[in-house]
Amino acid sequence: MSVKKIVGDSARDLTIAIDDRFDFSLHQLFRDSYSGAEETGTVFTLDLSKTSYMDSSALGMILLLKDHAEKVSGKVIIKNPSDSVAKILEIAQFHRLMTIEK
Amino acid sequence: MADGLNERHYKLALVVDDSVMQCKVLSVLLKEEGYRVYSANDGARGVDMYIKYQPDLVLMDINMPIMNGYEAARQIKSLSKNTLAPLIFITSMDTDQAFIESIEAGGDGILVRPFSPEVFKAKIKSIQRISDLYAQVKSLQQAQQKDAELAEQLMSGVIESRNYALERIGIFKKAADLFSGDIQLTAQCPNGDVNVLLGDFTGHGLRSSIGAIPLAETFRVMTKKGFSLFEIIDQVNAQLYDLLPSDLFLAATFVSVSSHDSTAYVFNAGLPDTYIYDEQGNVKHKIPSSHPPLGVIQQLLPGCQLNVVSVNEADRILLLSDGIIEARNEKGDMYGIERFEQAAISGVKEGDITKSLLADLEDFCGNMVQEDDISLINIPCKGWESPILVAQIQQGDSSLGEYVELAENGAIWQWQVKLTGEKLAKVNPIPMAMGYVHEVEGGGEQWQNLFTVLTELFVNALDHGVLGLNSDLKKEADGFAQYFHERENRLKSLSTGFVELTLSYYAAGNGGRMLIKIKDSGKGFDHQALELSTKQVAIESQQLSGRGILLVSQLCEQLHYQEDGTMVSAEYVIN
């Protein structure tokens, strides 16, 4: 499976890693990876270091994750996007909406 | 809802067996399960009866005279490619070979004698269940196809067929699915400027089309009413935010081209760079995305603004969605920005950007299936003037003559608005005024020039009066862009000052006279010098600034400045 969920030391620290292609086919898996995390202040780290491609529905899925994070007063951090993925995030100006760490 | 497939209200089975006795036994069992039954005693007859009765189920013996069961099964299956009429072989040959051949001949199952009536009925039930599922999927698929066709029809037939100036603006679209997430809109502003939108909704298919109708409606109506491009973008964003779920949004580029100001206004929210080429194919400007796609955040980001660029008549603006950049060849390589830019440049030189790009793309991709929509819009920067305005200017009657004031109290109606401070920076009173005029006096082309007059006079009062901007700035080649930015800055910090607009309408013959008065809080200016120079400009023409007031003087019966230039009166005549 190309959606990996890693719960950190604290329950308020959740990393979701996407391998290879991040597109609509991952919709359900992606949603399942965070939907149980209801702890207040949870930080959702989205590790895109192994993501080779991302389409616009993936951007939509990240926005749904952001909605969820805001509901529990947490936040989303996007980590290590590859060059091609970073370009897509830049065109969509996502750094204006959430933290992107290179 | 399984129309077409199951119009009968009973189920029909066909038994093909050379033993009359076996036919009877199976018929009895099938009738107990609610089937009506036909039987045939050889394969060839079985095929004929299949064609005649189109049964829901076929039971087939293997060894029969004339045509055996395998051959009959093959023929029946080749006749029923679009339906699943299950076919079960009934045989006494309990061998692997018989089983394998049965399935290869197209059988959906095999039942080996002897079997009990219960086993037989269970087998029929299981096979019928699969066949029902198949019918259900089939009808869902047909319904979906119909929806997609309807959406496609709506998009191309209703939304995009109402686009403006298609003979001048090169629009190309190649959809990946039947229904595309890309939308292309063009519309004419009341002053003759053109507004263009290239949008890409998230995803493909029907889901991505939800926002298309409200988007097209807002874009057209607001353009027609004379709202500025920024006001349109702001409204579209708010509307899509309310309307669409979080993961659905619109990446879009908005462009407005004004031949009058030799200026293009561009706003890129989430699409690849917008290109502006000169005649030789040099890239004059590249405008990257500067805002998240629309519908993502409730209000546009604070401080975001239009890109304002000076353009020449021979320049072309090229908009694209990401489909072309991300198109892949057989090796999985992307077409990419570099190839795109090279092909576009030779396209400009050869005179047809779209054609060159598509030929190059086709060479690159070969026979690969297209994954995403491909959209291109190629806008010339020339010729965006109001046709009516042009016709009137040719008469060349500049009428800055004696001013005769109409009596205030003789008006049929009056409309007045006074905007102060911050509201002045945020509210555009011209669409409101035009809306009121249309409501009271009805619509029509005779009001088109009134829009131009009101806009020019209001903008003058705001820019030169309240904001104290000097129009000399506009005289330089790139001056308009600088002017625009300075204007934006001053508007942002505007806290005092006012503009008051009054319309008074008088009956006159079959038509009427509109008296326009605009008063501003500025310092005023030497209006006598202006009136003189306007007359000169009328002769020399072709200057970037001062043309606005020249236009107004040509469109109005009378134009007069009072109160040290802080108040202007104009009279617009309707015949």
Side-chain angles (χ1 to χ4, degrees), chain A residues 21 24 27 31 52-54 56-61 63-64 66-67 84 87-88 90-94 96-97, chain B residues 200-203 207 246-249 269-273 289-293 296-297 301 326 328 334 371:
Chain A
R21 285 174 74 93
F24 196 73
H27 197 83
R31 192 192 283 255
S52 60
Y53 171 79
M54 186 164 89
S56 65
S57 52
L59 294 173
M61 285 147 67
L63 291 173
L64 288 177
K66 182 171 170 272
D67 278 0
S84 61
K87 182 76 195 162
I88 290 165
E90 188 200 325
I91 289 178
Q93 297 277 299
F94 264 37
R96 309 278 198 104
L97 307 173
Chain B
D200 180 0
F201 280 106
T202 333
R207 187 180 141 77
S246 299
D247 58 338
L248 213 51
F249 50 76
L271 280 189
D273 295 354
S289 165
S290 61
H291 196 279
V296 172
I297 40 181
L301 290 172
E326 291 177 4
R328 285 172 194 273
M334 289 208 285
E371 285 176 43

Side-chain angles (χ1 to χ4, degrees), chain A residues 16-100:
Chain A
I16 303 163
I18 314 279
D19 285 358
D20 201 23
R21 285 174 74 93
F22 188 7
D23 59 22
F24 196 73
S25 64
L26 298 184
H27 197 83
Q28 197 56 47
L29 281 173
F30 185 73
R31 192 192 283 255
D32 292 346
S33 73
Y34 63 78
S35 58
E38 306 278 350
E39 195 88 18
T40 306
T42 302
V43 176
F44 298 86
T45 305
L46 186 56
D47 180 352
L48 298 182
S49 56
K50 291 190 177 137
T51 311
S52 60
Y53 171 79
M54 186 164 89
D55 69 0
S56 65
S57 52
L59 294 173
M61 285 147 67
I62 297 175
L63 291 173
L64 288 177
L65 171 62
K66 182 171 170 272
D67 278 0
H68 178 82
E70 280 164 4
K71 217 172 63 197
V72 301
S73 313
K75 64 172 181 170
V76 176
I77 297 173
I78 296 179
K79 232 173 187 160
N80 298 325
S82 66
D83 284 354
S84 61
V85 169
K87 182 76 195 162
I88 290 165
L89 291 168
E90 188 200 325
I91 289 178
Q93 297 277 299
F94 264 37
H95 58 278
R96 309 278 198 104
L97 307 173
M98 58 193 80
T99 310
I100 300 179

Side-chain angles (χ1 to χ4, degrees), chain B residues 236-304:
Chain B
V236 163
N237 180 64
Q239 193 180 28
L240 292 180
Y241 180 83
D242 285 344
L243 193 71
L244 301 180
S246 299
D247 58 338
L248 213 51
F249 50 76
L250 175 77
T253 298
F254 292 74
V255 174
S256 186
V257 186
S258 166
S259 293
H260 177 258
D261 296 334
S262 303
T263 302
Y265 305 82
V266 184
F267 190 83
N268 182 348
L271 280 189
D273 295 354
T274 294
Y275 291 82
I276 300 181
Y277 294 100
D278 70 11
E279 212 168 356
Q280 283 80 42
N282 302 311
V283 179
K284 286 177 73 176
H285 299 278
K286 227 195 286 200
I287 297 142
S289 165
S290 61
H291 196 279
L294 303 186
V296 172
I297 40 181
Q298 198 163 8
Q299 284 182 327
L300 295 178
L301 290 172
C304 71

Side-chain angles (χ1 to χ4, degrees), chain B residues 295-330:
Chain B
V296 172
I297 40 181
Q298 198 163 8
Q299 284 182 327
L300 295 178
L301 290 172
C304 71
Q305 55 187 28
L306 301 176
N307 282 280
V308 187
V309 289
S310 300
V311 289
N312 295 328
E313 287 204 331
D315 294 349
R316 303 197 82 87
I317 303 173
L318 184 64
L319 310 183
L320 57 145
S321 65
D322 55 9
I324 186 163
I325 306 292
E326 291 177 4
R328 285 172 194 273
N329 66 6
E330 275 148 18

Side-chain angles (χ1 to χ4, degrees), chain B residues 189-247:
Chain B
C189 307
N191 62 1
D193 294 356
V194 65
N195 283 353
V196 180
L197 163 91
L198 174 61
D200 180 0
F201 280 106
T202 333
H204 295 288
L206 202 52
R207 187 180 141 77
S208 68
S209 71
I210 307 169
I213 292 177
L215 169 66
E217 215 43 39
T218 303
F219 181 80
R220 290 225 168 83
V221 170
M222 288 186 77
T223 298
K224 197 175 164 205
K225 287 192 173 165
F227 284 95
S228 75
L229 192 65
F230 196 79
E231 288 169 309
I232 297 174
I233 296 163
D234 195 37
Q235 177 61 28
V236 163
N237 180 64
Q239 193 180 28
L240 292 180
Y241 180 83
D242 285 344
L243 193 71
L244 301 180
S246 299
D247 58 338

Side-chain angles (χ1 to χ4, degrees), chain B residues 212-473:
Chain B
I213 292 177
L215 169 66
E217 215 43 39
T218 303
F219 181 80
R220 290 225 168 83
V221 170
M222 288 186 77
T223 298
K224 197 175 164 205
K225 287 192 173 165
F227 284 95
S228 75
L229 192 65
F230 196 79
E231 288 169 309
I232 297 174
I233 296 163
D234 195 37
Q235 177 61 28
V236 163
N237 180 64
Q239 193 180 28
L240 292 180
Y241 180 83
D242 285 344
L243 193 71
L244 301 180
S246 299
D247 58 338
L248 213 51
F249 50 76
L250 175 77
T253 298
F254 292 74
V255 174
S256 186
V257 186
S258 166
S259 293
H260 177 258
D261 296 334
S262 303
T263 302
Y265 305 82
V266 184
F267 190 83
N268 182 348
L271 280 189
D273 295 354
T274 294
Y275 291 82
I276 300 181
Y277 294 100
D278 70 11
E279 212 168 356
Q280 283 80 42
N282 302 311
V283 179
K284 286 177 73 176
H285 299 278
K286 227 195 286 200
I287 297 142
S289 165
S290 61
H291 196 279
L294 303 186
V296 172
I297 40 181
Q298 198 163 8
Q299 284 182 327
L300 295 178
L301 290 172
C304 71
Q305 55 187 28
L306 301 176
N307 282 280
V308 187
V309 289
S310 300
V311 289
N312 295 328
E313 287 204 331
D315 294 349
R316 303 197 82 87
I317 303 173
L318 184 64
L319 310 183
L320 57 145
S321 65
D322 55 9
I324 186 163
I325 306 292
E326 291 177 4
R328 285 172 194 273
N329 66 6
E330 275 148 18
K331 284 188 243 160
D333 300 331
M334 289 208 285
Y335 184 62
I337 289 285
E338 287 78 18
R339 285 190 194 89
F340 168 82
E341 288 186 348
Q342 279 304 320
I345 287 170
S346 49
V348 177
K349 286 183 191 157
E350 286 156 25
D352 193 338
I353 305 181
T354 313
K355 198 173 142 199
S356 299
L357 274 172
L358 294 179
D360 193 57
L361 183 69
E362 204 167 301
D363 279 353
F364 176 79
C365 290
N367 295 321
M368 280 298 283
V369 179
Q370 184 189 333
E371 285 176 43
D372 197 358
D373 306 331
I374 290 176
S375 280
L376 294 167
I377 302 185
N378 167 11
I379 313 158
C381 292
K382 185 171 122 180
W384 303 113
E385 278 124 10
S386 165
I388 300 171
L389 215 55
V390 172
Q392 289 213 358
I393 286 174
Q394 280 163 358
Q395 296 165 9
D397 177 25
S398 176
S399 48
L400 285 166
E402 286 293 301
Y403 182 71
V404 184
E405 179 141 12
L406 291 163
E408 291 268 357
N409 55 15
I412 306 173
W413 56 260
Q414 275 195 324
W415 184 89
Q416 190 176 53
V417 64
K418 183 172 179 178
L419 292 166
T420 316
E422 272 177 54
K423 284 291 168 205
L424 191 51
K426 290 197 179 116
V427 177
N428 180 354
I430 307 307
M432 295 195 277
M434 290 308 295
Y436 186 83
V437 170
H438 284 147
E439 215 151 279
V440 179
E441 298 297 332
E445 284 195 334
Q446 72 271 25
W447 299 112
Q448 189 156 4
N449 290 336
L450 178 64
F451 174 88
T452 307
V453 171
L454 287 177
T455 303
E456 291 295 342
L457 294 179
F458 174 74
V459 167
N460 274 346
L462 178 60
D463 288 14
H464 307 313
V466 178
L467 299 178
L469 287 158
N470 188 340
S471 63
D472 285 349
L473 199 55

